Amino acid sequence: MTKTIRWGVLGCAGIAVKAVIPAIQSSRSGRVVAIASRDLKKAEKTAAAFGITKAYGSYEALLADPEIDAIYNPLPNHLHAPLTIKALKQGKPVLCEEPIALSAEEAMALAAAQKAARLPVAEAFMVRHHAQWKTARALVAAGRIGEVRAIQTIFSYYLDDPQNVRNQAAIGGGGLFDVGCYAINTARFLFDAEPLRAIALMERDPAFGTDRLTSGLMEFPDGRQLAFTCSMQLALTQRVTALGTRGRLEIPIPFNAPADEPTVLVLDDGRDLAGGGREEIAIEPVDQYGEQADAFAEAVLSGIPLETGLEDAIANMKAIDALFRSAVSGRWEEP
Protein backbone atom coordinates (compact mmCIF):
# COMPACT_ATOMS: atom_id res chain seq x y z
CA MET A 1 0.00 0.00 0.00
CA THR A 2 1.21 3.48 -0.82
CA LYS A 3 1.73 6.15 1.83
CA THR A 4 -1.30 7.99 0.48
CA ILE A 5 -4.65 6.42 1.24
CA ARG A 6 -6.87 6.17 -1.81
CA TRP A 7 -10.45 6.72 -0.63
CA GLY A 8 -13.69 5.59 -2.21
CA VAL A 9 -16.89 7.37 -1.15
CA LEU A 10 -20.29 5.67 -1.06
CA GLY A 11 -22.92 8.16 -2.15
CA CYS A 12 -23.14 11.92 -2.57
CA ALA A 13 -24.57 12.83 0.82
CA GLY A 14 -24.49 16.44 1.95
CA ILE A 15 -21.97 15.74 4.72
CA ALA A 16 -19.66 14.11 2.17
CA VAL A 17 -19.89 16.90 -0.38
CA LYS A 18 -19.83 19.83 2.04
CA ALA A 19 -17.29 18.61 4.57
CA VAL A 20 -15.63 15.22 4.30
CA ILE A 21 -14.55 15.03 0.65
CA PRO A 22 -12.94 18.50 0.76
CA ALA A 23 -11.24 17.56 4.03
CA ILE A 24 -9.82 14.32 2.62
CA GLN A 25 -8.63 16.10 -0.52
CA SER A 26 -6.67 18.57 1.59
CA SER A 27 -5.57 16.08 4.26
CA ARG A 28 -1.98 15.05 4.83
CA SER A 29 -2.35 11.42 3.87
CA GLY A 30 -5.35 10.86 1.63
CA ARG A 31 -7.18 11.64 -1.55
CA VAL A 32 -10.55 10.60 -2.93
CA VAL A 33 -10.14 8.57 -6.12
CA ALA A 34 -13.67 7.20 -6.60
CA ILE A 35 -17.28 7.98 -5.74
CA ALA A 36 -20.41 5.89 -6.24
CA SER A 37 -24.11 6.61 -6.45
CA ARG A 38 -27.12 4.64 -7.60
CA ASP A 39 -27.55 7.60 -9.95
CA LEU A 40 -24.45 7.46 -12.15
CA LYS A 41 -24.96 11.00 -13.46
CA LYS A 42 -24.98 12.30 -9.90
CA ALA A 43 -21.75 10.44 -9.15
CA GLU A 44 -20.16 11.82 -12.33
CA LYS A 45 -21.21 15.37 -11.50
CA THR A 46 -19.78 15.13 -7.98
CA ALA A 47 -16.59 13.53 -9.27
CA ALA A 48 -16.09 16.35 -11.76
CA ALA A 49 -16.63 18.98 -9.06
CA PHE A 50 -13.85 17.54 -6.88
CA GLY A 51 -11.42 16.22 -9.47
CA ILE A 52 -12.23 12.60 -8.58
CA THR A 53 -11.08 10.26 -11.33
CA LYS A 54 -13.67 7.48 -11.07
CA ALA A 55 -17.47 7.52 -10.82
CA TYR A 56 -19.54 4.37 -10.33
CA GLY A 57 -23.25 3.71 -10.74
CA SER A 58 -23.37 1.15 -7.92
CA TYR A 59 -21.84 0.83 -4.48
CA GLU A 60 -20.79 -2.75 -5.16
CA ALA A 61 -18.73 -1.74 -8.20
CA LEU A 62 -16.79 0.77 -6.15
CA LEU A 63 -16.20 -1.74 -3.35
CA ALA A 64 -14.74 -4.19 -5.88
CA ASP A 65 -12.19 -1.68 -7.18
CA PRO A 66 -8.73 -3.02 -6.18
CA GLU A 67 -7.20 0.47 -6.40
CA ILE A 68 -9.22 1.76 -3.41
CA ASP A 69 -7.58 1.47 0.01
CA ALA A 70 -10.37 2.70 2.30
CA ILE A 71 -14.07 3.51 2.22
CA TYR A 72 -16.03 6.45 3.58
CA ASN A 73 -19.69 5.52 4.15
CA PRO A 74 -22.07 8.50 4.52
CA LEU A 75 -25.17 6.65 3.28
CA PRO A 76 -28.57 6.83 5.02
CA ASN A 77 -28.50 5.25 8.46
CA HIS A 78 -30.07 1.92 7.49
CA LEU A 79 -27.17 1.31 5.07
CA HIS A 80 -24.36 2.05 7.50
CA ALA A 81 -23.85 -1.45 8.87
CA PRO A 82 -24.81 -3.47 5.74
CA LEU A 83 -22.55 -1.57 3.33
CA THR A 84 -19.72 -1.43 5.85
CA ILE A 85 -19.90 -5.21 6.17
CA LYS A 86 -19.86 -5.52 2.37
CA ALA A 87 -16.78 -3.30 2.25
CA LEU A 88 -15.01 -5.43 4.85
CA LYS A 89 -15.72 -8.54 2.81
CA GLN A 90 -13.97 -6.82 -0.10
CA GLY A 91 -10.93 -6.17 2.11
CA LYS A 92 -11.64 -2.47 2.63
CA PRO A 93 -11.37 -0.63 5.98
CA VAL A 94 -14.26 1.77 6.60
CA LEU A 95 -14.88 5.16 8.15
CA CYS A 96 -18.65 5.15 8.63
CA GLU A 97 -20.90 8.04 9.56
CA GLU A 98 -22.82 8.00 12.79
CA PRO A 99 -24.82 6.21 13.98
CA ILE A 100 -22.76 3.15 13.16
CA ALA A 101 -25.96 1.05 13.03
CA LEU A 102 -29.66 1.16 13.91
CA SER A 103 -29.19 -0.83 17.10
CA ALA A 104 -26.49 -2.22 19.35
CA GLU A 105 -27.32 -5.71 18.06
CA GLU A 106 -26.62 -4.60 14.49
CA ALA A 107 -23.43 -2.86 15.64
CA MET A 108 -22.25 -6.08 17.29
CA ALA A 109 -22.85 -7.98 14.04
CA LEU A 110 -20.67 -5.39 12.34
CA ALA A 111 -18.02 -5.86 15.01
CA ALA A 112 -18.02 -9.60 14.31
CA ALA A 113 -17.44 -8.90 10.62
CA GLN A 114 -14.67 -6.45 11.49
CA LYS A 115 -12.99 -9.02 13.72
CA ALA A 116 -13.09 -11.59 10.94
CA ALA A 117 -11.68 -9.13 8.40
CA ARG A 118 -9.08 -7.74 10.81
CA LEU A 119 -9.46 -4.27 9.30
CA PRO A 120 -10.08 -0.86 10.89
CA VAL A 121 -13.65 0.41 11.20
CA ALA A 122 -14.46 3.71 12.87
CA GLU A 123 -17.61 5.66 13.61
CA ALA A 124 -17.21 9.19 12.27
CA PHE A 125 -17.58 11.28 15.41
CA MET A 126 -15.30 13.97 14.05
CA VAL A 127 -15.66 16.07 17.21
CA ARG A 128 -13.27 13.84 19.11
CA HIS A 129 -10.54 14.90 16.71
CA HIS A 130 -11.03 18.62 17.33
CA ALA A 131 -8.57 20.33 19.65
CA GLN A 132 -11.39 22.00 21.56
CA TRP A 133 -12.74 18.63 22.72
CA LYS A 134 -9.29 17.26 23.52
CA THR A 135 -8.57 20.40 25.53
CA ALA A 136 -11.94 20.22 27.28
CA ARG A 137 -11.32 16.63 28.34
CA ALA A 138 -7.84 17.53 29.61
CA LEU A 139 -9.24 20.45 31.64
CA VAL A 140 -11.88 18.20 33.19
CA ALA A 141 -9.29 15.51 34.00
CA ALA A 142 -7.02 18.12 35.57
CA GLY A 143 -9.80 19.26 37.89
CA ARG A 144 -9.92 22.83 36.56
CA ILE A 145 -13.62 23.11 37.45
CA GLY A 146 -13.54 20.68 40.35
CA GLU A 147 -15.50 17.47 40.23
CA VAL A 148 -17.73 17.49 37.14
CA ARG A 149 -21.14 16.23 38.18
CA ALA A 150 -23.45 17.41 35.40
CA ILE A 151 -23.35 18.02 31.65
CA GLN A 152 -26.09 19.89 29.80
CA THR A 153 -26.26 19.70 26.01
CA ILE A 154 -28.49 21.25 23.36
CA PHE A 155 -28.25 20.31 19.67
CA SER A 156 -31.06 21.42 17.36
CA TYR A 157 -31.86 22.63 13.86
CA TYR A 158 -34.99 23.02 11.73
CA LEU A 159 -35.71 20.61 8.88
CA ASP A 160 -39.22 19.81 7.61
CA ASP A 161 -38.45 18.54 4.10
CA PRO A 162 -40.28 15.20 3.72
CA GLN A 163 -37.82 14.08 1.03
CA ASN A 164 -34.80 14.43 3.30
CA VAL A 165 -33.55 11.07 4.60
CA ARG A 166 -33.46 12.49 8.14
CA ASN A 167 -37.25 12.74 8.03
CA GLN A 168 -37.83 9.15 6.91
CA ALA A 169 -38.45 6.87 9.88
CA ALA A 170 -38.17 3.62 7.92
CA ILE A 171 -34.50 4.22 7.10
CA GLY A 172 -33.33 5.47 10.48
CA GLY A 173 -34.34 9.12 10.41
CA GLY A 174 -35.01 11.25 13.47
CA GLY A 175 -33.24 13.54 15.87
CA LEU A 176 -31.83 11.05 18.36
CA PHE A 177 -29.98 9.12 15.66
CA ASP A 178 -28.86 12.28 13.85
CA VAL A 179 -27.80 14.69 16.60
CA GLY A 180 -28.73 13.25 19.99
CA CYS A 181 -26.01 10.66 19.48
CA TYR A 182 -23.47 13.51 19.81
CA ALA A 183 -24.76 14.50 23.23
CA ILE A 184 -24.29 10.93 24.43
CA ASN A 185 -20.91 10.44 22.78
CA THR A 186 -19.38 13.64 24.12
CA ALA A 187 -20.71 13.10 27.65
CA ARG A 188 -19.16 9.65 27.68
CA PHE A 189 -15.95 11.27 26.43
CA LEU A 190 -15.84 13.96 29.14
CA PHE A 191 -16.94 11.67 31.96
CA ASP A 192 -14.71 8.85 30.67
CA ALA A 193 -17.43 6.45 31.74
CA GLU A 194 -20.52 4.63 30.50
CA PRO A 195 -24.10 5.48 31.54
CA LEU A 196 -25.85 3.23 34.02
CA ARG A 197 -29.45 4.06 33.10
CA ALA A 198 -31.44 6.43 30.92
CA ILE A 199 -34.90 7.95 30.63
CA ALA A 200 -36.35 9.89 27.70
CA LEU A 201 -39.23 12.06 26.57
CA MET A 202 -39.81 11.82 22.83
CA GLU A 203 -42.24 13.73 20.62
CA ARG A 204 -42.73 12.45 17.09
CA ASP A 205 -43.70 14.28 13.94
CA PRO A 206 -47.29 13.26 13.12
CA ALA A 207 -46.55 13.00 9.39
CA PHE A 208 -42.99 11.62 9.34
CA GLY A 209 -43.12 9.39 12.42
CA THR A 210 -39.60 10.47 13.34
CA ASP A 211 -38.61 11.83 16.73
CA ARG A 212 -38.45 15.57 16.19
CA LEU A 213 -37.92 16.50 19.84
CA THR A 214 -36.16 14.30 22.37
CA SER A 215 -34.94 15.10 25.86
CA GLY A 216 -32.93 12.59 27.81
CA LEU A 217 -31.48 12.15 31.26
CA MET A 218 -28.65 9.69 31.83
CA GLU A 219 -27.05 8.61 35.08
CA PHE A 220 -23.32 7.91 35.09
CA PRO A 221 -21.27 6.32 37.88
CA ASP A 222 -20.83 8.34 41.10
CA GLY A 223 -24.11 10.14 40.61
CA ARG A 224 -22.99 12.15 37.58
CA GLN A 225 -25.66 13.19 35.08
CA LEU A 226 -26.18 14.14 31.46
CA ALA A 227 -29.28 16.15 30.56
CA PHE A 228 -29.78 16.87 26.87
CA THR A 229 -32.30 18.08 24.34
CA CYS A 230 -32.06 17.38 20.63
CA SER A 231 -34.46 18.41 17.92
CA MET A 232 -34.90 18.55 14.17
CA GLN A 233 -37.65 21.17 14.37
CA LEU A 234 -36.29 23.87 16.67
CA ALA A 235 -34.08 26.86 15.99
CA LEU A 236 -30.43 26.19 15.16
CA THR A 237 -28.67 25.87 18.51
CA GLN A 238 -25.57 24.12 19.86
CA ARG A 239 -24.21 24.34 23.39
CA VAL A 240 -22.43 22.07 25.87
CA THR A 241 -21.90 23.06 29.50
CA ALA A 242 -20.02 20.92 32.02
CA LEU A 243 -20.80 21.88 35.61
CA GLY A 244 -18.28 21.19 38.33
CA THR A 245 -17.97 21.81 42.02
CA ARG A 246 -15.61 24.77 41.46
CA GLY A 247 -16.74 26.15 38.13
CA ARG A 248 -18.18 25.46 34.73
CA LEU A 249 -16.79 24.75 31.27
CA GLU A 250 -18.73 25.85 28.23
CA ILE A 251 -18.19 24.84 24.60
CA PRO A 252 -20.10 27.43 22.55
CA ILE A 253 -19.86 25.68 19.14
CA PRO A 254 -19.31 22.09 20.17
CA PHE A 255 -20.24 20.09 17.09
CA ASN A 256 -19.97 22.12 13.88
CA ALA A 257 -16.92 24.17 14.72
CA PRO A 258 -15.73 26.17 11.69
CA ALA A 259 -12.59 24.81 10.04
CA ASP A 260 -11.14 28.21 9.23
CA GLU A 261 -11.85 30.18 12.40
CA PRO A 262 -10.64 29.90 16.00
CA THR A 263 -12.97 28.49 18.62
CA VAL A 264 -13.06 29.19 22.34
CA LEU A 265 -13.67 27.33 25.54
CA VAL A 266 -15.17 29.33 28.38
CA LEU A 267 -14.12 28.63 31.96
CA ASP A 268 -15.97 30.35 34.80
CA ASP A 269 -15.18 29.81 38.46
CA GLY A 270 -18.68 30.86 39.48
CA ARG A 271 -17.67 33.69 41.77
CA ASP A 272 -20.66 35.74 40.55
CA LEU A 273 -23.40 35.73 37.91
CA ALA A 274 -21.88 38.60 35.96
CA GLY A 275 -18.92 36.61 34.64
CA GLY A 276 -16.33 37.98 37.04
CA GLY A 277 -14.51 34.67 36.98
CA ARG A 278 -14.77 34.14 33.24
CA GLU A 279 -11.73 33.00 31.25
CA GLU A 280 -11.64 32.27 27.52
CA ILE A 281 -9.24 29.70 26.11
CA ALA A 282 -8.59 30.21 22.40
CA ILE A 283 -8.32 27.14 20.17
CA GLU A 284 -6.57 27.50 16.83
CA PRO A 285 -8.57 26.70 13.67
CA VAL A 286 -8.63 23.04 12.75
CA ASP A 287 -10.56 20.99 10.22
CA GLN A 288 -11.92 18.23 12.42
CA TYR A 289 -12.92 16.22 9.35
CA GLY A 290 -9.38 16.39 8.00
CA GLU A 291 -7.95 15.34 11.35
CA GLN A 292 -10.39 12.45 11.42
CA ALA A 293 -9.34 11.33 7.94
CA ASP A 294 -5.65 11.49 8.83
CA ALA A 295 -6.16 9.56 12.07
CA PHE A 296 -8.00 6.82 10.19
CA ALA A 297 -5.38 6.76 7.43
CA GLU A 298 -2.64 6.36 10.05
CA ALA A 299 -4.41 3.32 11.48
CA VAL A 300 -4.73 1.80 8.01
CA LEU A 301 -1.09 2.42 7.11
CA SER A 302 0.50 1.53 10.45
CA GLY A 303 -1.73 -1.27 11.66
CA ILE A 304 -1.91 0.41 15.07
CA PRO A 305 -5.42 0.07 16.54
CA LEU A 306 -7.71 3.07 16.38
CA GLU A 307 -7.92 5.18 19.51
CA THR A 308 -11.72 4.90 19.29
CA GLY A 309 -12.94 1.66 17.77
CA LEU A 310 -16.16 -0.29 17.44
CA GLU A 311 -16.34 -1.03 21.16
CA ASP A 312 -16.99 2.66 21.71
CA ALA A 313 -19.56 2.72 18.91
CA ILE A 314 -21.40 -0.24 20.42
CA ALA A 315 -21.48 1.47 23.82
CA ASN A 316 -23.03 4.57 22.23
CA MET A 317 -25.63 2.45 20.46
CA LYS A 318 -26.55 0.69 23.70
CA ALA A 319 -27.26 4.08 25.27
CA ILE A 320 -29.37 5.12 22.27
CA ASP A 321 -31.30 1.84 22.44
CA ALA A 322 -32.04 2.47 26.11
CA LEU A 323 -33.45 5.93 25.33
CA PHE A 324 -35.72 4.55 22.60
CA ARG A 325 -36.97 1.84 24.97
CA SER A 326 -37.57 4.41 27.70
CA ALA A 327 -39.61 6.62 25.37
CA VAL A 328 -42.00 3.67 24.97
CA SER A 329 -41.95 2.26 28.49
CA GLY A 330 -41.89 5.56 30.36
CA ARG A 331 -39.35 4.06 32.74
CA TRP A 332 -35.63 4.15 33.36
CA GLU A 333 -33.84 1.69 31.09
CA GLU A 334 -30.36 0.21 31.35
CA PRO A 335 -28.05 0.28 28.29
Side-chain angles (χ1 to χ4, degrees):
M1 187 179 295
T2 65
K3 292 184 179 180
T4 298
I5 292 294
R6 299 166 297 182
W7 289 85
V9 177
L10 299 177
C12 305
I15 185 65
V17 173
K18 295 176 183 177
V20 178
I21 292 176
I24 292 175
Q25 298 292 61
S26 61
S27 68
R28 296 184 297 273
S29 56
R31 58 189 175 92
V32 179
V33 300
I35 188 165
S37 172
R38 289 173 176 169
D39 181 343
L40 178 57
K41 290 183 178 180
K42 189 174 183 179
E44 290 173 340
K45 182 179 179 180
T46 304
F50 289 100
I52 299 170
T53 55
K54 298 180 183 180
Y56 289 101
S58 76
Y59 306 136
E60 290 75 15
L62 183 147
L63 294 178
D65 187 338
E67 295 183 347
I68 294 173
D69 302 318
I71 300 296
Y72 169 58
N73 180 356
L75 293 168
N77 293 341
H78 72 300
L79 296 176
H80 284 179
L83 265 295
T84 297
I85 290 172
K86 283 187 176 183
L88 289 170
K89 289 180 178 179
Q90 290 286 349
K92 305 286 198 294
V94 184
L95 174 65
C96 181
E97 274 302 329
E98 45 66 30
I100 197 73
L102 295 182
S103 67
E105 182 179 7
E106 189 179 38
M108 287 187 280
L110 171 56
Q114 184 268 334
K115 184 177 180 181
R118 301 177 68 181
L119 293 168
V121 176
E123 188 173 27
F125 277 111
M126 73 294 178
V127 293
R128 290 201 180 187
H129 298 275
H130 199 292
Q132 69 173 353
W133 277 102
K134 294 179 180 181
T135 303
R137 193 184 199 207
L139 291 169
V140 167
R144 283 292 303 275
I145 57 173
E147 180 185 346
V148 177
R149 294 180 178 171
I151 296 173
Q152 296 184 334
T153 300
I154 299 173
F155 196 173
S156 64
Y157 62 96
Y158 199 92
L159 177 66
D160 61 359
D161 176 7
Q163 301 304 314
N164 192 288
V165 295
R166 294 172 179 82
N167 285 324
Q168 298 177 27
I171 61 173
L176 183 55
F177 275 146
D178 191 45
V179 291
C181 60
Y182 282 86
I184 300 163
N185 183 278
T186 51
R188 293 173 48 246
F189 185 63
L190 287 185
F191 281 144
D192 194 21
E194 301 300 338
L196 302 175
R197 59 176 183 159
I199 194 165
L201 288 174
M202 190 174 288
E203 196 264 334
R204 293 186 177 273
D205 185 285
F208 305 148
T210 53
D211 61 293
R212 63 181 178 184
L213 172 61
T214 295
S215 292
L217 185 63
M218 309 193 84
E219 181 186 8
F220 284 77
D222 303 316
R224 295 172 292 174
Q225 300 174 8
L226 163 68
F228 76 91
T229 293
C230 67
S231 176
M232 297 173 58
Q233 293 184 26
L234 288 177
L236 179 65
T237 306
Q238 295 185 15
R239 192 60 53 94
V240 171
T241 303
L243 300 164
T245 52
R246 298 201 307 273
R248 67 180 178 88
L249 170 63
E250 185 176 313
I251 308 177
I253 310 179
F255 307 117
N256 295 119
D260 55 354
E261 297 177 17
T263 54
V264 297
L265 301 178
V266 178
L267 283 172
D268 194 322
D269 62 15
R271 68 183 66 177
D272 57 44
L273 295 177
R278 178 186 174 94
E279 173 191 352
E280 290 192 357
I281 299 175
I283 306 294
E284 292 297 317
V286 61
D287 186 340
Q288 56 190 351
Y289 296 99
E291 294 298 312
Q292 174 181 253
D294 280 325
F296 190 81
E298 182 179 357
V300 173
L301 291 169
S302 69
I304 298 173
L306 291 158
E307 184 175 342
T308 304
L310 282 182
E311 297 82 4
D312 190 89
I314 291 169
N316 219 60
M317 286 308 311
K318 286 181 177 179
I320 291 171
D321 285 352
L323 288 162
F324 275 122
R325 292 197 306 271
S326 174
V328 175
S329 71
R331 300 188 300 267
W332 286 94
E333 298 284 349
E334 296 181 0

